[in-house]
Structure formats: C-alpha cells, structure tokens
Amino acid sequence: MDGIVRVYEDSFREIFRYCAYRLFSKHLAEDATSAVFLRLVEQYPTLKGKGRRKIRSWLYGTASNVVARYLRNARRRRDILAELAREREGGPAAGPDGNGRLDWPLLYEAIGKLKRRQQEIIVMRYFQGLQTSAIAEALGMKDVTVRVQLSRAVRKLGSELEMPFGQRRATA
C-alpha cells in the first residue's frame, strides 16, 4: 500500500495537468485523474517492482486511454466545446495551469483539429515536457513515429493558428 501512496503523491499533479490540458475542464480532469489512479490500485500487483519510469509511462498510457474515452462521449465533447466558446467570448483566458499569456480557447480549438494521437503527443511534449522517448513508451509507439507525428502536428497547428479565428481554410 505504501508503494501506491508514493506513486500517487509523486504523480498526481502531473497526471492531473495532462488530463486538464486534454479536457480543458478542471472537473472532468479530476474525474479522469481519479479513474487513472483507481486503475493503478487495480493493476498495482502487476506493476509492483517496476521502475519509476515504467510506472510513469503506464500512468500516461492509462491517462491517454481514459481521456480518449471521455472525448468519445458526445455530450462531454459538446460541453467542452461550449466551455471553449464561452471562454473565447471573454478574450484570452488562463489555461489549466493558470497561464494567461496564451489564447487558450484558440489554441485548444486548433489542437482539437489534430488527430487524437497527435493531440496526445503535443500535450505530452509541450505541456508536460516529456521527451519523445518517454512519449513513445507511454503510447506504445516507436520514438521515430512520435517524432514524425509531432512534426506533422506542429506544422498543422502552425497553419491553423495563422488563420484568424472563425475563418475556415479554403479547400481546393
């Protein structure tokens, strides 16, 4: 039991931040983070004795799956988009970490246009500060695949963020 408590104390904030950045909702992030740590309790016998890095990767992989399930729920997705729209009307808003320097709703809208896997990679790399090797391990991918997906995602984000809000890119 001490091992679970130690993992919880060491990792809760990090996993919560990941969920908050992916869900743009403190309440949904709290629920998702709770689900991750409930799974940890269930799976701890198989994780016991694994290194900190392996457990951290397992936590991120599990958080990624939990968040994906939340986003598949149409009602939750609609609520998240409505929250983004409300925030957008009020101008630049503070992000989940309290950072008010970015136009978070606009950034989240652009990230939302990426493929799910690219969204996960962007959040893990730039919001969580994970190296590509750690992301690859957490998502069960090769490091080179993560780097390629990251490059494509950054390129797409760049083109999306160049467009003024509300405009749609013309399709040829």
Side-chain angles (χ1 to χ4, degrees), residues 51-80:
R52 186 181 185 322
R53 182 176 175 193
K54 286 282 186 196
I55 292 174
R56 184 176 187 223
S57 292
W58 183 90
L59 287 169
Y60 271 107
T62 301
S64 174
N65 292 333
V66 168
V67 165
R69 189 170 47 252
Y70 270 73
L71 291 174
R72 276 192 297 268
N73 180 310
R75 182 170 163 246
R76 286 188 188 125
R77 187 171 182 83
R78 192 173 50 248
D79 290 347
I80 291 168

Side-chain angles (χ1 to χ4, degrees), residues 89-153:
E89 290 171 3
D97 64 352
N99 184 343
R101 292 175 291 166
L102 296 173
D103 189 341
W104 286 99
L106 182 61
L107 181 59
Y108 274 108
E109 181 181 350
I111 290 172
K113 292 178 182 177
L114 298 173
K115 295 176 183 173
R116 181 179 72 91
R117 201 48 96 163
Q118 290 176 334
Q119 292 175 21
E120 294 167 341
I121 292 169
I122 287 288
V123 170
M124 286 182 182
R125 178 68 185 108
Y126 294 111
F127 297 119
Q128 297 299 109
L130 299 179
Q131 297 298 316
T132 56
S133 58
I135 296 168
E137 188 175 344
L139 299 178
M141 301 169 71
K142 293 182 179 181
D143 189 38
V144 69
T145 305
V146 169
R147 284 186 269 134
V148 167
Q149 290 297 314
L150 180 61
S151 175
R152 289 178 181 165

Side-chain angles (χ1 to χ4, degrees), residues 16-28:
F16 172 77
R17 279 187 37 214
Y18 170 77
C19 293
Y21 279 122
R22 292 280 309 185
L23 295 169
F24 195 66
S25 165
K26 180 181 176 186
H27 301 295
L28 289 178

Side-chain angles (χ1 to χ4, degrees), residues 1-34:
M1 194 63 154
D2 288 341
I4 294 172
V5 172
R6 194 172 18 257
V7 170
Y8 177 84
E9 289 173 348
D10 290 346
S11 306
F12 177 83
R13 281 189 171 168
E14 186 176 355
I15 297 303
F16 172 77
R17 279 187 37 214
Y18 170 77
C19 293
Y21 279 122
R22 292 280 309 185
L23 295 169
F24 195 66
S25 165
K26 180 181 176 186
H27 301 295
L28 289 178
E30 288 169 347
D31 291 347
T33 305
S34 295

